Amino acid sequence: MRGRVILRIPTQSRDDCEALVNSLRVDEAGLPRGLASSIWCDGDVMVYELNFDVNGNKLLSVYNTLDDLIRNVKAVLNSLSRIK
């Protein structure tokens, strides 16, 4: 199964977006086989792209990768809001 998921997550500023991307990039190394991701800022919007080419029994890896990302995004954004 092949596919692509693109998430666009608005932040308060370009600086917040860059802090978010830099925090998340660490977890993007070593993704499971068949998954490739990119993460960047488009102004103050974080863009995450996940491309996958996996067997049906490995589709859970796609879900788990997205679940981890969303959980980490929430944690970083909560931290940023407390700093301000």
Side-chain angles (χ1 to χ4, degrees), residues 6-10 40 42 45-48:
I6 299 174
L7 300 175
R8 296 180 56 84
I9 300 173
W40 69 93
D42 181 10
V45 176
M46 186 208 77
V47 181
Y48 180 81

Side-chain angles (χ1 to χ4, degrees), residues 1-26:
M1 179 176 287
R2 288 183 180 180
R4 177 172 62 180
V5 176
I6 299 174
L7 300 175
R8 296 180 56 84
I9 300 173
T11 64
Q12 296 293 318
S13 67
R14 173 74 184 207
D15 287 343
D16 283 357
C17 184
E18 290 176 4
L20 179 60
V21 166
N22 289 334
S23 296
L24 297 173
R25 202 169 266 146
V26 173

Side-chain angles (χ1 to χ4, degrees), residues 26-79:
V26 173
D27 285 337
E28 295 309 298
L31 289 175
R33 186 181 185 117
L35 276 65
S37 68
S38 298
I39 187 169
W40 69 93
C41 291
D42 181 10
D44 62 352
V45 176
M46 186 208 77
V47 181
Y48 180 81
E49 182 176 337
L50 179 66
N51 292 289
F52 59 92
D53 184 1
V54 296
N55 295 335
N57 61 344
K58 296 290 184 179
L59 197 54
L60 189 58
S61 294
V62 175
Y63 171 81
N64 288 338
T65 298
L66 293 170
D67 185 56
D68 288 346
L69 174 86
I70 291 168
R71 193 171 320 141
N72 290 336
V73 164
K74 184 177 177 184
V76 173
L77 291 178
N78 283 339
S79 295

